[in-house]
Amino acid sequence: MLYLDRPSVPWRGRLWSHLISDVSYAELHAFAEALGAPRRAFDRDHYDLPADRFPVAVWLGAQVVAPREIVRLLRTANLRRPKHLTPTPIPTPTPTPASAIKELWFPV
């Protein structure tokens, strides 16, 4: 089942909701794709949805719950990924082009 809270979080001049699944991340990603939410809106265990997508999410079948219920549902389903327990990905260094390396070692 998919759940979302009412848009109440202000950010960048808009109000936002949180969309979750109590079944799996696969279900959540499939629903978000059907909703037209970009993958970059996924944040550890939920999607951040702008207020203008809220009615469409409800129409597609997401159930509206209180914000505290979002957290409880994620914990009960063992899908909660708190920020302090989620490892921060180490950025992959951009490779230096061979021409730049050549200039460093063999200046013109």
Side-chain angles (χ1 to χ4, degrees):
M1 176 66 98
L2 293 140
Y3 301 91
L4 75 160
D5 56 3
R6 296 199 176 277
S8 61
V9 179
W11 188 60
R12 294 191 179 195
R14 299 165 93 175
L15 290 178
W16 297 80
S17 294
H18 302 100
L19 175 69
I20 66 153
S21 167
D22 67 347
V23 174
S24 69
Y25 294 120
E27 179 189 42
L28 178 60
H29 292 310
F31 188 86
E33 187 176 330
L35 189 58
R39 187 65 182 249
R40 69 180 178 273
F42 181 69
D43 185 18
R44 293 182 319 274
D45 54 14
H46 68 277
Y47 273 85
D48 293 317
L49 284 183
D52 61 326
R53 303 237 182 189
F54 179 84
V56 179
V58 172
W59 184 79
L60 286 173
Q63 195 170 16
V64 180
V65 296
R68 286 185 180 211
E69 188 70 4
I70 293 280
V71 175
R72 189 193 68 74
L73 287 163
L74 284 170
R75 284 185 179 147
T76 301
N78 202 26
L79 294 172
R80 180 77 171 128
R81 291 183 181 167
K83 192 175 235 180
H84 70 281
L85 295 178
T86 306
T88 305
I90 299 170
T92 306
T94 307
T96 306
S99 58
I101 294 172
K102 184 178 178 182
E103 285 183 29
L104 288 172
W105 290 101
F106 306 105
V108 180

